[in-house]
Amino acid sequence: MSSCSRKYSIFTESLQQLRERGVSKRKAQFSLMVSKAVPLQHEWLEAFWCRDCDEQTWYHVRKADDSYLLQTVTAAHWRQATGVAPPPGYNPSVSEFSQREAHLSVQRIH
């Protein structure tokens, strides 16, 4: 897989999310008092291209020590990101099956 986009920062307004990432309660509370949204360090959204599948997929990337954890982007991740619009056709209220079938029917037309 190869990166095919820039990295888009993710922010949070949640004390719990900061605590889950190892930020002390006091520092998390202070950060949220100073700024309504706090950037999550070492986390971002990024699109990758798979040559085998010939598809682009968006991931939530989280750097942990010397490795990277990838998770398919969720609706919550899109709401936390700034400067990036969800890809065309992305609608979290539509099931994966419906999206896949719609994509296949468009391919059949062309």
Side-chain angles (χ1 to χ4, degrees), residues 36-96:
K36 186 175 181 178
V38 177
L40 294 175
Q41 298 295 316
H42 310 294
E43 294 186 45
W44 61 89
L45 299 186
E46 187 173 359
F48 290 89
W49 182 260
C50 176
R51 291 184 186 120
D52 297 334
C53 304
D54 197 30
E55 289 184 4
Q56 171 185 299
T57 306
W58 282 89
Y59 290 96
H60 167 239
V61 182
R62 188 172 182 182
K63 185 176 181 184
D65 300 319
D66 292 334
S67 62
Y68 294 88
L69 306 171
L70 290 118
Q71 175 186 10
T72 305
V73 174
T74 64
H77 292 129
W78 287 119
R79 288 190 296 272
Q80 288 179 269
T82 59
V84 62
Y90 179 81
N91 184 343
S93 65
V94 177
S95 73
E96 286 182 32

Side-chain angles (χ1 to χ4, degrees), residues 100-110:
R100 188 171 49 252
E101 289 300 306
H103 180 72
L104 290 174
S105 65
V106 169
Q107 285 182 335
R108 288 183 206 124
I109 292 170
H110 296 286

Side-chain angles (χ1 to χ4, degrees), residues 3-18:
S3 175
C4 61
S5 75
R6 60 177 275 238
K7 297 175 182 177
Y8 293 93
S9 300
I10 297 178
F11 294 81
T12 187
E13 298 173 348
S14 165
L15 177 66
Q16 179 182 349
Q17 282 189 347
L18 292 172

Side-chain angles (χ1 to χ4, degrees), residues 12-40:
T12 187
E13 298 173 348
S14 165
L15 177 66
Q16 179 182 349
Q17 282 189 347
L18 292 172
R19 296 286 292 134
E20 288 170 355
R21 284 154 176 86
V23 178
S24 71
K25 184 177 180 179
R26 184 176 174 184
K27 185 174 181 180
Q29 288 174 326
F30 179 75
S31 296
L32 291 171
M33 281 179 24
V34 171
S35 177
K36 186 175 181 178
V38 177
L40 294 175

